[in-house]
Amino acid sequence: DWADGARYWRGKALANLGRGQEAAGLWMEVAGGRPNTYYGGRAAAALASLGEVKGQVVASPPGKSPRCPDASEPPSPAVSAALAKAYALADAGLPALAEMALEFSAKAAPERADLAMAHIRAAMDGGRRTAAMRTAWRTFGGCLLRGTPAELMPLRDALYPRAYAGEVVTALNGSGIDPDVIYSLIRQESFFDPKAVSGAGAVGLMQLMPETAKAVGKKIGIRPERADLFNPVVNIRLGVAFFRERLAREGSLAAALASYNAGENRVAVWNAGFGGLGEELFVELIPYTETRDYVRRITTNAMVYERLYLGKN
């Protein structure tokens, strides 16, 4: 990431000096090499603003292509046996054991796309999204960084779901906020697990502290108890209302995300210090690594959502 960041910002400097062709070359290197990353997305947007590139940026650089879910693989007796064992366990009414067996097999043979996809499907059926994500990164890490939307499509619903879409759209009504930002925030906070509880006591899909939920609820006419925060409808309504407050207060998406993670007092200091430098530099200058990475991840997730669901509202 640091190397892509250096290329991206060198490109910004060159563009400001009127050396657009040189800037475009650097941005093409970043966007073409790892388009599904923070700087890859920024570079693609910068290229589009230059008008130097028509159509979609080529996702994978010339040469070796990443392993993606549709990879063709030679037959393997060991893989066939592992799949047969898992299917037998599932048919016997033991889906958790079947998923465990598939996870073990996929970990032992990370080069096998068929085993990885079998485990990802089983983990999703069992509600274990984090386990599915681990397997996906182990086997398809290169594809997640460089794959085209078509190559990533088999992983879309597992890793980038638009879960609870009705609740999200309803809560956002009239706000003008892109729903993909909220899906990305939920993905980062809880990976769509409505029962998630953090070590600090934050609860549910949007990881709300009970005290925060009560304060926000008072403003929108509901009085939630802690148990209510495990209800996706209530959690999303409160979480989106809280995020809308942050966005209205902070004035930019990056600052609102930072405030959601680090609190409004810290972001007020950051805004006073370097908020006037623009949203991109604000993100770069966030002094807390955790918050800086948090903002980048959600920004990246939203970009990937847009690519994967292009024309599929």
Side-chain angles (χ1 to χ4, degrees):
D1 281 348
W2 70 264
D4 282 347
R7 294 185 186 98
Y8 173 73
W9 282 103
R10 178 170 170 76
K12 293 278 284 188
L14 289 168
N16 286 336
L17 291 170
R19 295 158 63 181
Q21 289 294 336
E22 293 174 75
L26 286 167
W27 289 337
M28 178 64 82
E29 185 178 355
V30 176
R34 302 201 313 164
N36 303 324
T37 64
Y38 177 76
Y39 289 113
R42 290 290 194 194
L47 282 166
S49 71
L50 274 183
E52 299 287 343
V53 177
K54 303 297 183 183
Q56 185 173 335
V57 174
V58 176
S60 299
K64 185 177 179 181
S65 297
R67 179 187 293 108
C68 289
D70 60 354
S72 58
E73 296 166 318
S76 166
V79 169
S80 298
L83 292 173
K85 177 183 178 182
Y87 296 150
L89 287 168
D91 290 342
L94 299 169
L97 284 178
E99 190 256 320
M100 187 183 303
L102 285 169
E103 183 174 26
F104 178 82
S105 298
K107 187 174 183 179
E111 74 284 356
R112 296 293 303 200
D114 46 8
L115 280 176
M117 287 305 299
H119 175 246
I120 289 168
R121 286 190 289 266
M124 292 301 300
D125 289 343
R128 299 184 67 231
R129 289 187 185 275
T130 302
M133 176 64 88
R134 284 196 301 266
T135 294
W137 272 107
R138 185 166 52 240
T139 299
F140 305 123
C143 193
L144 290 171
L145 294 173
R146 307 197 306 275
T148 66
E151 289 170 331
L152 289 171
M153 197 56 61
L155 295 170
R156 187 188 74 175
D157 291 342
L159 304 188
Y160 292 91
R162 280 179 168 173
Y164 308 104
E167 291 83 356
V168 169
V169 171
T170 298
L172 286 175
N173 185 38
S175 70
I177 298 171
D178 186 344
D180 283 341
V181 171
I182 302 302
Y183 299 132
S184 300
L185 194 156
I186 294 173
R187 185 182 187 275
Q188 180 64 30
E189 290 286 352
S190 68
F191 212 157
F192 297 94
D193 179 3
K195 299 178 182 178
V197 179
S198 75
V203 178
L205 290 169
M206 298 188 72
Q207 289 291 277
L208 298 171
M209 297 297 288
E211 297 79 9
T212 300
K214 288 181 180 179
V216 174
K218 186 176 181 180
K219 298 174 185 177
I220 62 175
I222 59 177
R223 302 177 62 183
E225 299 296 331
R226 182 177 183 278
D228 297 324
L229 300 181
F230 293 102
N231 182 332
V233 176
V234 176
N235 194 285
I236 289 174
R237 184 179 175 191
L238 290 166
V240 168
F242 181 53
F243 182 73
R244 290 174 69 164
E245 276 187 11
R246 297 292 184 177
L247 186 59
R249 179 189 298 271
E250 309 303 347
S252 75
L253 177 60
L257 291 171
S259 180
Y260 198 97
N261 177 259
E264 60 183 311
N265 292 335
R266 293 188 180 96
V267 173
V269 173
W270 301 340
N271 260 330
F274 47 83
L277 298 177
E279 195 161 357
E280 283 187 305
L281 278 172
F282 177 88
V283 175
E284 297 291 342
L285 295 172
I286 292 173
Y288 290 2
T289 300
E290 176 190 341
T291 301
R292 186 170 62 251
D293 289 347
Y294 176 91
V295 174
R296 285 176 177 170
R297 288 189 188 110
I298 293 176
T299 303
T300 304
N301 289 345
M303 177 267 295
V304 175
Y305 267 104
E306 182 181 9
R307 293 188 72 207
L308 293 181
Y309 288 88
L310 186 64
K312 300 177 177 64
N313 295 322

